[in-house]
Amino acid sequence: METILNLPIENKIFYAVLVFSWTVYLWEAYLAYRQRRIYRLTMHVPQELGKIMDTDTFEKSRLYQLDKSNFSFWSGLYSETEGTLILLFGGIPFVWKVAGTVTARFGLGPEYEIFQSLSFLILATLFSAFTGLPWSIYNTFVIEEKHGFNQQVLVTIYADYIAPLFDKFTPLPEGELKEEIESMSKSISFPLTKVYVVEGSKRSSHSNAYFYGFFKNKRIVLFDTLLEDYSPLNKDGEPEIDTLTEDKSKLKNKKQGCNNPEVLAVLGHELGHWKLGHTVKNIVISQMNSFLCFFLFAVLIGQKELFMAFGFYNSQPTLIGLMIIFQFIFSPYNEVLSFCLTVLSRRFEFQADSFARGMGRASELCSALIKLNKDNLGFPVADWLFSMWHYSHPPLLERLRALGSTKQD
């Protein structure tokens, strides 16, 4: 203990960063272990969901989440080990020197810090892409493909990062659904101008909906996978026999997406976020956090010990200062903030569900949540501690209970 106390301040900072990083990792790994036990041991549909979730869907969801959890463990361990080795062996100052060598070849000396910073960013991005590509490929073409979510060809970088920039947004055709959306928006004074359907199915079969726009110019975007009548995955669907009840069987169309009343219930939830001011509150919190972070950055950027702790003894590049302060020094603050925002987000989700219920759409929202949970292979059972720490959106069972219904006829 005495030896540690006698270390130079820069060494204390360095080891404190490493210890905190591994402490967070081990805590996250422990939480993931608790949830992984749930995936392994929960072999049967919970009694509360016995009439609304079939055994086959439950098992598919369980195996999907188990595979994702195992993948996250190994990728997380690799990421933490890689980061530690980079710090221990001076990887950051090494890449900075390489970036300086590159700019020097173009006749630009150390005084051209901006160009050296740009070179550093390019090199760091290439390194990150190179080391992360195998994990990305495995996740997309093994796990997602195995469970039926991957809709891509072998151009993962294009599909993940470029294709979203060119997604095809098609105006929702005139009809009952559009009229109902416009009517619902008008009833709460939501300034809707356009409703679009985006071809999200080209990249993934997960479902989603959102709205965007400033002031009096709001647009609603619906993924085609959310809409039962639009999802390409339903074109080959055939009615199947539902064996949920023992006394009789009935035809059940195993389709992806929601019918029109359920879509309206989902949008009622999303519009609840707007009406209750959740979007504005999140923006205010974000701006306050940014102001605080940059204020503290201005205070800390002049502390040479921070740079020395990471191997920069003779210079204090602004970009490196940003990386050190925001990525390492602010780590404890970021963890606390992340947890607080998760708690707040869960509260907002319950409030938005309650708003949709107030619009008389509780039953349809319950039905939609169940369908979306099935479509996305969400697992309805969660360890309480894992859920509290990670789930910004409450698990299915919690939301159904809050809505006052866990049964569907």
Side-chain angles (χ1 to χ4, degrees), residues 137-155:
I137 290 175
Y138 185 86
N139 181 57
T140 301
F141 296 103
V142 177
I143 295 180
E144 295 292 298
E145 181 73 26
K146 174 182 176 181
H147 296 279
F149 285 120
N150 176 38
Q151 307 296 329
Q152 304 176 56
V153 293
L154 194 61
V155 192

Side-chain angles (χ1 to χ4, degrees), residues 316-342:
Q316 299 177 24
T318 302
L319 177 65
I320 300 301
L322 280 167
M323 178 184 298
I324 291 173
I325 293 172
F326 284 102
Q327 185 174 343
F328 300 117
I329 305 303
F330 281 2
S331 289
Y333 167 76
N334 289 335
E335 288 297 323
V336 173
L337 178 66
S338 177
F339 174 70
C340 291
L341 292 179
T342 297

Side-chain angles (χ1 to χ4, degrees), residues 303-314:
Q303 305 298 315
K304 63 180 181 180
E305 292 82 4
L306 294 180
F307 291 88
M308 294 170 63
F310 294 89
F312 291 83
Y313 298 95
N314 302 318

